[in-house]
Amino acid sequence: NNQGLIRCFSFFIKGHFDEEVFYLKNCVVILAAGDGKRMKSEKPKVLCEVLFQPMLRWVINACEKSEAGDICIVKGKGAEQIDAFLEGKYQTVMQQERLGTGHAVMQAVDFIKEHVGGHLLVLCGDAPFVDEMTIREAYQQHIAQKNSATVITAELDEPKGYGRMLRADDSIIGIVEEKDATDREKMIKEVNSGAYWFCIEDMLAVADRLTNDNNQKEYYLTQFVPLLIAAGKRVGGFRAATDHIVLGANDRAGLLNLNRIAAEKIIQKHMANGVSFLSTDGVLIMPEVTIGQDTVILPGTILKGNTKIGNGSVIGPNSLVEDSVIGNDTVFNASQCYQSKIHDHVKIGPFCHIRPNSEILDHVKIGDFVEVKNSTIGEYTAVSHLTYVGDSDVGKNVNFGCGVVTVNYDGVNKHRSVIEDNAFIGCNTNLVSPVRIGNGAYTAAGSTITEDVPADALGIARARQTNKEGFAAKKLEGRKRKL
Ligand code: UD1
Ligand code: CA
């Protein structure tokens, strides 16, 4: 029967994935209602970007990688923009008035109640460097110490502006905000990162005792520390391995600082994996990018999105690759590539534009001022200069002369052309799509090809040349008289 089946199934899960079962009840509230006036932006602060992705994306990624639990985002100013960014993939609640971090978390109380029996992770949407390890290790300590709350902390040389941790032995007895702190308390260097694990049951039991009785007249989330202690519970502190986890940005300079830190950290990771950088000037690599060993990244290289680069390739200088795969021993010089795949031993550039949905096979050479879009280019094919290949399937060992254009758009529709293996496309050929150039066929330089060219044939589509004897000499006399 059903009951037996469910019991049998849950035994199976428990037996094999004990920890995961525990995690299933947990949840995350991300505070994202800050307005960030000093950014001088139309966007809410959490959508300001570090390495091309909103700070909120960094925080969500860390949550998902750590499998911390279901996510709910507290939004405020710019809520429509946050909704558009989230694409309905996450729950959200609205904080109409910005009455403090405690008030913000409590906007999600219904969501939190659905997870009674589990634990709540609170994160700030504007502290992008909180990471998977910190979230997991803090959780393990939270459970091991049987804490009702565990505050994730960091040690800062300049703790100004942050809440200071008040400790007794290995437990936390309070957090005092800069604006409420005495001079002695201001000397404490251990600060509240703004990230916490809470036991949901314990937290909800004291939640209605939150007050705004402080210098900022705000409902502080940190007030849960004394409230839980008063209820006879334990609060712990988890000191993060890196102080970067507390960093946020209040203005554009702060954002630049976060970009520098992120870029540097990612470059360090790749160097540890055997990637070379002759200089890191202008090198920006997004977190998900992978690069194989012995690849060299030259200055001014930007690698975005889900890009994968193989071994022994040279990328840059001044190149941009987005959501693309580049193989092994390929040279990608001063060019741009989007949503495409470039295989091994390929030479690209300088000054090529590889547009989405293109595939460039082994040993291809694509030279200066060539644009490729939505096309495949077969092995050993050369497209060396000043050419546009759009919506085309190009075979192996094809040679494109200088200045070839696939005329793929008639003003209403796009059409595909096929250029078979070993074809030789003369300089300044227009291939008016749809058209097929057969295996080994030639097109004469300057032809506008509108009909298929059969295999091994020569297609000529231009007016035959006539020479008018003496014509130029007469003109020249006239021109000389003006001297
Ligand atoms: C808070 C902590 C402080 C900690 C610091 C870490 C409190 C009272 N203080 O201070 O101990 O060192 O974070 O950065 O919690 N937010 C809302 N709604 C609000 C208020 C804030 O969503 O009503 C969001 C903000 O957008 C931000 C986060 O909560 O993402 C933290 O708020 P912020 O005002 O920056 O808190 P701090 O005063 O810096
Ligand atoms: Ca802050």
Side-chain angles (χ1 to χ4, degrees), residues 418-434:
V418 177
I419 295 113
E420 293 182 3
D421 297 351
N422 309 310
F424 187 100
I425 311 299
C427 288
N428 264 320
T429 296
N430 295 314
L431 299 171
V432 182
S433 300

Side-chain angles (χ1 to χ4, degrees), residues 30-36 45-46 74-76 95 97-105 123-127 159 161-165 175-179 191-196 214 216 218-223 246-248 250:
I30 300 175
L31 303 184
D35 48 9
K45 182 164 148 186
V46 294
V74 182
K75 59 194 180 179
Q95 186 191 24
E97 269 184 297
R98 211 170 175 280
L99 299 178
T101 47
H103 180 261
V105 170
L123 296 174
C124 295
D126 59 356
Y162 290 95
R164 308 298 207 286
M165 305 306 299
I175 302 171
V176 58
E177 292 307 298
E178 174 92 24
K179 287 184 178 126
V191 304
N192 171 18
S193 71
Y196 320 72
N214 52 58
Q216 302 189 85
E218 284 186 3
Y219 294 89
Y220 288 171
L221 185 58
T222 51
Q223 200 194 353
V246 308
L247 292 180
N250 294 317

Side-chain angles (χ1 to χ4, degrees), residues 91-137:
Q91 296 192 45
T92 62
V93 290
M94 186 72 190
Q95 186 191 24
Q96 294 292 353
E97 269 184 297
R98 211 170 175 280
L99 299 178
T101 47
H103 180 261
V105 170
M106 283 306 132
Q107 303 313 297
V109 68
D110 293 337
F111 168 80
I112 296 169
K113 278 181 179 162
E114 287 165 19
H115 297 81
V116 170
H119 297 265
L120 163 69
L121 172 68
V122 176
L123 296 174
C124 295
D126 59 356
F129 298 150
V130 66
D131 61 291
E132 175 193 348
M133 279 281 284
T134 303
I135 292 171
R136 276 185 171 272
E137 286 174 6

